[in-house]
Amino acid sequence: MVSPILLIAVPLGLAFITPLLGLARKGAPRYVPAVAMLFNLLVSVSLLPDALRAPIVVRTAGWAPPFSIHLVAGPLGLLLSSLIALIGLLVAVYGMDYIREGATTRYHVLSILILVGATGVVLTGDVFNLFVFFEILCISSYALVAYWGDSASVEAGAKYLIQGAIGSSFVLIGIGLLYGAFGALSMADIAANVSSVSSFRLFVSLAFLITGFGVEAAVFPLNAWLPDAHSSAPSSISAILSGIAIKAGIYAVARVVYTIYGAQSILPFVALLSVATLLIGEMCAFSQNDIKRLLAYSSIGQMGLIVFGLAMASATGVSAALFVVISHALAKALLFLASGYMILRTGSREVSSLNGMGTRMPLTSLCFTVGAFSLVGLPPFVGFASKFMIVRAALETADTFFVVLLAIALIGTVIEGAYFLRIVQGLYFKPAPQQAREETRKEPPLSALVPVGVLAALIVAVGLYPGLVERALGAAANDLLDRDSYVQNVMGD
Amino acid sequence: MRRLISLSLLLIVALGISLCFSGAYFGAEGANRAGKLAQDRVNFGQRYNSRGLEENGAGNIVASVVVNYRGFDTLGEVTVLFIAAVGLAVVLSTRREKPARVRAEPASLVVFTGCRFLFPLILLLGSYIFIHGHLTPGGGFQGGAVVASGFLLVYLGCRGKGLRSAGFTVTESLSGLAFVVLALVGLAVGGSLLLNFLPKGSALTLFSGGVIPIIYVAIGLKVGSELGSIIANLSGEAP
Amino acid sequence: MSLLSPSIHYVGCFSLVLIGLYVVLVKPNLIKVIIGINLMDTGVNLFLVTVGYIQGGTAPIFSEAARQPEGMVDPVPQALVLTAIVIGVSVLALALALTIRVYGHYGTLDLRKIKGLRW
């Protein structure tokens, strides 16, 4: 059996030698991310059946878990790492032709490392290691946001960096407090001893950790950086940031809240925040004229939905939230990738410039429509199945609080439907602007069409047969909620 | 006046936070952990201090923790520095407005010769620090920083002697690869990444500690070349 | 003073963190904001070292074989701080590079005038 640690070590080694390859052959680096992510996808998927039976605990340096860093490749970790590898592979294929200007070799290096960071975050079982991989993810995204080097992207990068740096300082304080109180850094070790420390101290460290990770997770008061960063980055990177990076942030928050602290009492507050996030995101998206900014705000709205599902703390709720993670990652990656070439061809990011694209770039527009309908939650796409599961979970709790919040969340979905249908209407039923450029009639190259098509096919396939992922979702939700068996698996007794 | 008030307010808040966390149950001194100090099973620091020497053969326990027990963090840390070097080059490379080439006054003969004389000595000191990282305070990161300060001196003192960035790229790639490969050899030999698979040697001599000094040399070279390439990029010498 | 003496290091760390936070939030100059971030980092690093400190403890290094492990400070926070310092340096380098570019585009470092995007 291959060790899950290869999911991190092999792409890391490839990233280190990519600059050398770039010196030797100019065109070689652009294939490296695809190779690394193909490897990750194969390994993650092949390990998933084993992990569904029992989590794989990987020790480093040969010492038993609490005394060295260990990875916990449970159902949740491997499910997310498969998702990361899948999206990463498609984006890497897309990036081969999309990224032509600037420091292309370095772009490919950073695009591997951002995915390595996300994979490390979902697999690690150590708090400080979580922080380190989180920084790998964040710092490479600061640099990639500023990749085009125009005034907007540099400014967005600086803004993202300042907020992210404050967030990571907060995380570090939280970790320091944990180490001071428990003398341990392994999540399982801390979780086993959590009741031995006064609840006030726990609350303070939890507050620092949630605030710190919440910056990356874009939960309501901490998401000022997101629209700028996601809209100024190259479209391929926007797809990774929206599809994966913020999910890694929310994973970190969920791991801390559920596994380490088992803090169920703060969840109503989190649920309120999540609905606020959702409404604000959707309302801001509704008023946008810039297509990438609109998609970025819609990501904030969907994050609200995910957090809402997580806050229910029931098995159905958490699996529904994870289902939304998957459906949103697929759909939002598709939308950013498809709109990337539309923007490139039209030369404008105005929503109105997409008018009439339905006849000019029919395949891309068709896939874009699939993604948009899935996000809105129309059957038979995966978005419908995931949103339906959220509704079911909220009704299952039979708690008036959650049912009222659900009603508000559904209003958000209506707003979402309004602006996405407006775009789709523009694509097909409005005439192209008079001065439309001739090159807008050209479909993107095959390296872009294939990832977009694969994503659209996946959205339809999983939407029609949700059973494909449901078993893994249930196991993953259990992995997150069942603290005792997590501790037992890691500590071994 | 406003500043004074706000700063004193901050001090009071700091006082409040820290009062919550001082006291008998916090930090390595806290009675809670002091009670467990004797138990190697529970207390990390104590266990590493009492067993680190026999388990890894390195006199510097911090080095064993950094390279062995928490070596995976260090792999990530090296990656973060690599990202900073690459990302800095990305951010600066798209610059359209080239920095105004100020014709720098050439340094006087004394400064120029002095820098060229000191440069190899600084490199030697840096290498000494990272080669002896498992015995004395210091290690790969510290030694690498000293090496990079040598490059900084060349930039400051010997204007016109450009720093070659291709050399940095090759060194940083190869040393990074060496770190990953050493880690993977541990996985292949003993089934766990970063395993200390070499003989531990006799304690407190140069040839001790198994793979720790080798990894520290790789880290030292990598950090030195990464910081060097950051300096080269910021000084505008690199393309 | 006896109330303060066990926690005086913590007061120092959290003062540094809060001064850094204050600088980041209040100062309009981008370079000063970066200095503020650095101050926060320093405070956090100091805090981590303090957590592992034992009154009168020695460095966890066996310089001669006769040394006993008793009385050595906790080595783990020192390793963590090493990592945190390197991460802080990386963020700092990237922040300065972005500052150079921002200055190139806008000709100013005053955050009130850098408004290409809505802050």
Side-chain angles (χ1 to χ4, degrees):
Chain A
M1 194 180 75
V2 280
S3 167
I5 210 159
L6 290 179
L7 291 172
I8 295 162
V10 169
L12 212 52
L14 284 174
F16 284 151
I17 53 166
T18 307
L20 269 189
L21 287 178
L23 285 183
R25 279 199 53 183
K26 202 97 186 83
R30 63 189 190 137
Y31 301 110
V32 180
V35 172
M37 284 305 120
L38 186 63
F39 173 83
N40 265 15
L41 185 61
L42 293 178
V43 173
S44 312
V45 171
S46 70
L47 285 173
L48 198 52
D50 287 331
L52 285 183
R53 279 193 294 278
I56 310 165
V57 178
V58 186
R59 48 175 77 174
T60 63
W63 310 113
F67 294 115
S68 69
I69 296 170
H70 51 90
L71 303 189
V72 184
L76 178 59
L78 279 177
L79 184 71
L80 288 178
S81 81
S82 314
L83 183 71
I84 291 164
L86 174 70
I87 305 279
L89 174 64
L90 296 174
V91 170
V93 172
Y94 182 90
M96 282 182 195
D97 283 321
Y98 182 70
I99 300 294
R100 295 184 168 281
E101 292 168 28
T104 52
T105 305
R106 294 175 180 131
Y107 165 86
H108 292 298
V109 174
L110 290 176
S111 74
I112 300 175
L113 290 174
I114 194 171
L115 294 164
V116 170
T119 313
V121 165
V122 298
L123 287 182
T124 187
D126 186 286
V127 189
F128 194 77
N129 201 233
L130 180 72
F131 167 76
V132 171
F133 279 109
F134 209 76
E135 286 299 305
I136 293 180
L137 172 70
C138 289
I139 297 177
S140 44
S141 45
Y142 305 149
L144 282 171
V145 164
Y147 182 76
W148 288 142
D150 51 17
S151 60
S153 63
V154 172
E155 190 187 331
K159 191 170 160 183
Y160 184 13
L161 185 140
I162 291 169
Q163 301 190 15
I166 296 174
S168 31
S169 291
F170 273 58
V171 172
L172 213 46
I173 295 177
I175 292 173
L177 294 175
L178 277 183
Y179 189 78
F182 296 99
L185 289 166
S186 157
M187 292 191 203
D189 202 0
I190 297 173
N193 296 318
V194 96
S195 53
S196 69
V197 172
S198 76
S199 60
F200 174 71
R201 266 186 199 158
L202 284 180
F203 174 75
V204 176
S205 56
L206 177 66
F208 274 115
L209 284 175
I210 289 190
T211 317
F213 287 128
V215 171
E216 183 68 12
V219 186
F220 159 54
L222 308 168
N223 53 14
W225 58 271
L226 187 140
D228 298 334
H230 286 205
S231 61
S232 309
S235 288
S236 47
I237 293 306
S238 307
I240 293 183
L241 289 177
S242 259
I244 291 169
I246 49 178
K247 310 297 194 310
I250 203 65
Y251 167 86
V253 174
R255 217 9 135 198
V256 166
V257 171
Y258 284 113
T259 306
I260 299 187
Y261 289 89
Q264 311 281 355
S265 51
I266 62 157
L267 289 178
F269 175 67
V270 175
L272 279 179
L273 275 188
S274 74
V275 174
T277 312
L278 192 149
L279 277 185
I280 288 169
E282 303 294 11
M283 286 198 290
C284 290
F286 185 75
S287 60
Q288 289 304 315
N289 278 323
D290 177 330
I291 176 76
K292 286 187 77 173
R293 259 184 114 77
L294 182 147
L295 293 177
Y297 274 116
S298 139
S299 287
I300 296 181
Q302 294 277 324
M303 285 312 284
L305 201 60
I306 293 169
V307 179
F308 179 59
L310 287 174
M312 284 181 232
S314 64
T316 335
V318 174
S319 7
L322 294 174
F323 204 2
V324 180
V325 166
I326 293 175
S327 76
H328 176 242
L330 294 174
K332 198 47 71 64
L334 192 162
L335 290 176
F336 270 119
L337 294 186
S339 64
Y341 265 99
M342 291 188 184
I343 291 165
L344 202 65
R345 296 277 192 256
T346 58
S348 155
R349 299 201 327 204
E350 292 286 310
V351 171
S352 58
S353 70
L354 298 182
N355 287 349
M357 289 304 261
T359 51
R360 290 167 167 263
M361 295 167 79
L363 288 175
T364 319
S365 309
L366 180 67
C367 294
F368 188 93
T369 312
V370 169
F373 281 175
S374 171
L375 268 192
V376 175
L378 297 180
F381 305 110
V382 62
F384 169 74
S386 60
K387 280 193 177 172
F388 188 70
M389 208 161 159
I390 290 264
V391 174
R392 216 178 69 200
L395 295 180
E396 246 175 39
T397 57
D399 185 341
T400 330
F401 177 69
F402 280 113
V403 176
V404 170
L405 288 185
L406 175 73
I408 303 174
L410 288 179
I411 296 175
T413 301
V414 173
I415 304 176
E416 194 172 26
Y419 62 81
F420 271 123
L421 292 179
R422 195 182 67 197
I423 298 175
V424 173
Q425 184 201 16
L427 279 178
Y428 286 104
F429 300 110
K430 282 191 185 158
Q434 289 297 318
Q435 68 280 20
R437 295 202 253 163
E438 198 42 44
E439 61 187 22
T440 58
R441 287 190 183 282
K442 210 172 83 189
E443 284 283 355
L446 208 58
S447 67
L449 274 183
V450 169
V452 169
V454 169
L455 283 169
L458 278 174
I459 286 175
V460 176
V462 184
L464 288 177
Y465 302 103
L468 285 177
V469 290
E470 245 161 22
R471 182 161 160 261
L473 285 178
N478 207 34
D479 182 8
L480 197 59
L481 289 174
D482 191 354
R483 296 175 67 215
D484 295 337
S485 62
Y486 181 87
V487 171
Q488 210 161 48
N489 278 319
V490 175
M491 306 294 278
D493 42 39
Chain B
M1 192 58 203
R2 216 181 101 227
R3 191 171 299 170
L4 198 71
I5 293 174
S6 37
L7 283 182
S8 48
L9 209 65
L10 286 181
L11 193 70
I12 292 170
V13 175
L15 212 69
I17 298 181
S18 37
L19 279 181
C20 304
F21 286 98
S22 62
Y25 295 99
F26 192 75
E29 264 197 314
N32 192 23
R33 283 176 57 197
K36 296 177 184 170
L37 266 183
Q39 308 171 24
D40 287 354
R41 174 94 183 77
V42 185
N43 191 293
F44 272 33
Q46 186 60 28
R47 182 187 184 280
Y48 293 154
N49 277 342
S50 58
R51 299 221 201 132
L53 192 59
E54 58 174 291
E55 282 178 349
N56 275 310
N60 184 349
I61 302 295
V62 179
S64 326
V65 174
V66 164
V67 180
N68 188 257
Y69 297 108
R70 302 195 67 80
F72 203 51
D73 272 350
T74 308
L75 188 57
E77 178 185 0
V78 169
T79 312
V80 168
L81 202 57
F82 178 64
I83 292 172
V86 174
L88 188 120
V90 163
V91 171
L92 292 180
S93 68
T94 47
R95 167 163 54 178
R96 274 172 204 85
E97 73 293 348
K98 282 290 164 216
R101 286 246 156 231
V102 186
R103 210 41 243 140
E105 190 84 4
S108 73
L109 187 67
V110 177
V111 174
F112 190 80
T113 319
C115 289
R116 291 189 55 183
F117 174 70
L118 279 177
F119 179 64
L121 292 182
I122 292 177
L123 291 198
L124 191 67
L125 176 65
S127 334
Y128 174 84
I129 291 178
F130 62 66
I131 289 172
H132 287 79
H134 58 303
L135 299 175
T136 55
F141 292 95
Q142 296 84 337
V146 171
V147 168
S149 74
F151 294 122
L152 188 60
L153 184 72
V154 169
Y155 164 66
L156 289 174
C158 315
R159 300 270 166 136
K161 279 187 75 69
L163 300 167
R164 297 246 329 280
S165 74
F168 289 135
T169 311
V170 173
T171 322
E172 92 187 57
S173 287
L174 287 182
S175 49
L177 192 65
F179 190 175
V180 175
V181 167
L182 272 172
L184 286 177
V185 169
L187 183 67
V189 172
S192 124
L193 199 77
L194 286 159
L195 186 76
N196 196 344
F197 56 89
L198 288 179
K200 308 292 181 291
S202 63
L204 311 183
T205 58
L206 183 56
F207 295 99
S208 65
V211 291
I212 291 179
I214 307 175
I215 290 185
Y216 251 168
V217 169
I219 293 175
L221 290 175
K222 191 162 173 63
V223 171
S225 54
E226 266 155 9
L227 291 178
S229 78
I230 287 179
I231 292 168
N233 269 309
L234 281 176
S235 66
E237 297 285 352
Chain C
M1 254 356 243
S2 61
L3 176 72
L4 267 183
S5 61
S7 62
I8 192 78
H9 340 62
Y10 295 108
V11 177
C13 324
F14 281 107
S15 306
L16 264 180
V17 171
L18 288 171
I19 291 171
L21 195 60
Y22 171 84
V23 171
V24 172
L25 294 178
V26 172
K27 294 292 173 187
N29 187 315
L30 195 50
I31 290 284
K32 288 187 183 169
V33 169
I34 291 170
I35 292 175
I37 291 177
N38 224 16
L39 274 176
M40 277 182 82
D41 272 348
T42 315
V44 174
N45 293 342
L46 194 59
F47 172 61
L48 284 177
V49 172
T50 311
V51 161
Y53 180 66
I54 296 172
Q55 202 85 45
T58 54
I61 296 174
F62 290 91
S63 43
E64 70 259 15
R67 288 283 302 277
Q68 287 304 308
E70 280 75 43
M72 285 185 176
V73 300
D74 193 341
V76 179
Q78 307 203 357
L80 302 188
V81 164
L82 188 57
T83 308
I85 288 174
V86 172
I87 289 174
V89 167
S90 310
V91 172
L92 181 68
L94 209 54
L96 289 176
L98 285 170
T99 309
I100 293 175
R101 299 303 315 282
V102 167
Y103 189 79
H105 280 296
Y106 292 91
T108 173
L109 289 174
D110 191 337
L111 289 176
R112 288 167 298 194
K113 291 182 188 142
I114 302 171
K115 277 189 190 154
L117 302 162
R118 272 161 277 167
W119 270 84

